[in-house]
Amino acid sequence: MGFSRRRIIAACAVAALVPAGCGGGGSSTDPERGKDAKRFSLTITRNAIEGGKNTEEAEWIAKKVIPAFEAAQKAKGVTAKVTFRGQGVDDEAYKTKLALDLKSRSGTDIMDVDGIWVGEFAQAGYLRPLSEVVGAPADGWDGWQHIPGAVQQLASFEGKRYGIPPSTDGRLLFYNKKLFARAGLPEGWQPKSWADILTAGRALETARRHADPAQRGHRHGRGHDDAGRSASAGRCGRRNPLGR
């Protein structure tokens, strides 16, 4: 499973975006903590490494994203030091490393995770909602308007946002309109749930059985005898090839 498909960028539960040591006062769970700091450091991790797995993304983060962010902060009179901890391992190994690092409170400040891990990590206490990490600006960010609600759900759990999904993929279902018509299903079929898909599947199976003479024979009077005789003849034919 590639992270380029359903990944999110999340802030871990063990460190706010501006560490306590950077100044600003407040508790470790205060989103206002360190907001007036003139110097801070951040660490980022992603299952990408220059010269290896997802090398293009690793280079983009290290050579474009980080320098641009540090320059923007410098223009505000703030010194930011951002370190990228790239990984280049199997996805499950990456997930395990993240979990172990977070459990031991040595995880990075910002991490790239698969969207299907959000609920699991949140329940384990490894991730905190963005609103708890950075406060009200998290939900007021104007960037949300550019991310469809369905995509935002990848980084949400129990109604709270835990990260920002930079990308996702789509799942497509192709269907035969002629078969759907025979099953009495609408030409512009648009399932909204797995239940809709199962219902369509059952309708298609029922239509198939009605269209199959042998299947009809098992359910309808005379047809049953015809089907039975055909089956018997077939069995006899296999035992007694023509000409013998």
Side-chain angles (χ1 to χ4, degrees), residues 7-239:
R7 72 182 198 276
I8 69 165
I9 298 174
C12 70
V14 298
L17 293 180
V18 180
C22 296
S27 70
S28 61
T29 58
D30 181 3
E32 297 294 309
R33 179 173 61 113
K35 72 173 185 176
D36 297 321
K38 295 301 181 181
R39 180 183 299 273
F40 68 87
S41 62
L42 289 173
T43 53
I44 303 173
T45 191
R46 157 90 172 102
N47 198 12
I49 192 166
E50 292 187 53
K53 186 171 185 176
N54 298 319
T55 182
E56 292 183 356
E57 290 193 38
E59 292 174 359
W60 175 67
I61 293 171
K63 298 178 180 179
K64 292 186 177 182
V65 175
I66 292 177
F69 176 77
E70 291 179 339
Q73 293 301 307
K74 185 176 181 180
K76 299 176 183 179
V78 178
T79 300
K81 174 61 177 177
V82 183
T83 302
F84 176 54
R85 297 179 184 174
Q87 303 292 321
V89 297
D90 177 81
D91 292 347
E92 284 302 314
Y94 176 68
K95 176 185 178 183
T96 299
K97 176 172 175 52
L98 287 181
L100 290 174
D101 286 348
L102 292 170
K103 186 176 182 179
S104 64
R105 301 183 67 80
S106 61
T108 56
D109 300 301
I110 300 173
M111 67 195 65
D112 191 86
V113 304
D114 195 307
I116 62 176
W117 302 346
V118 175
E120 180 182 349
F121 277 34
Q123 287 184 320
Y126 298 156
L127 301 179
R128 279 173 35 209
L130 291 179
S131 60
E132 294 182 13
V133 177
V134 297
D139 291 327
W141 179 51
D142 58 8
W144 293 120
Q145 64 183 312
H146 302 296
I147 305 175
V151 177
Q152 292 184 33
Q153 290 302 309
L154 287 173
S156 302
F157 179 65
E158 294 185 342
K160 297 180 180 180
R161 293 187 178 110
Y162 282 82
I164 302 171
S167 66
T168 186
D169 64 353
R171 293 291 187 267
L172 303 177
L173 286 175
F174 295 90
Y175 63 94
N176 188 311
K177 291 184 177 180
K178 291 182 179 179
L179 294 180
F180 265 55
R182 292 174 191 170
L185 295 166
E187 181 178 346
W189 180 67
Q190 292 288 332
K192 292 181 172 57
S193 65
W194 284 110
D196 290 346
I197 296 174
L198 290 172
T199 297
R202 295 185 184 105
L204 289 167
E205 177 63 12
T206 298
R208 183 190 69 79
R209 289 181 178 176
H210 280 293
D212 186 337
Q215 293 291 337
R216 286 203 308 271
H218 282 292
R219 288 197 297 270
H220 303 293
R222 225 169 86 182
H224 175 75
D225 296 334
D226 293 339
R229 283 196 294 271
S230 296
S232 296
R235 287 194 294 271
C236 290
R238 285 194 294 272
R239 288 198 303 267

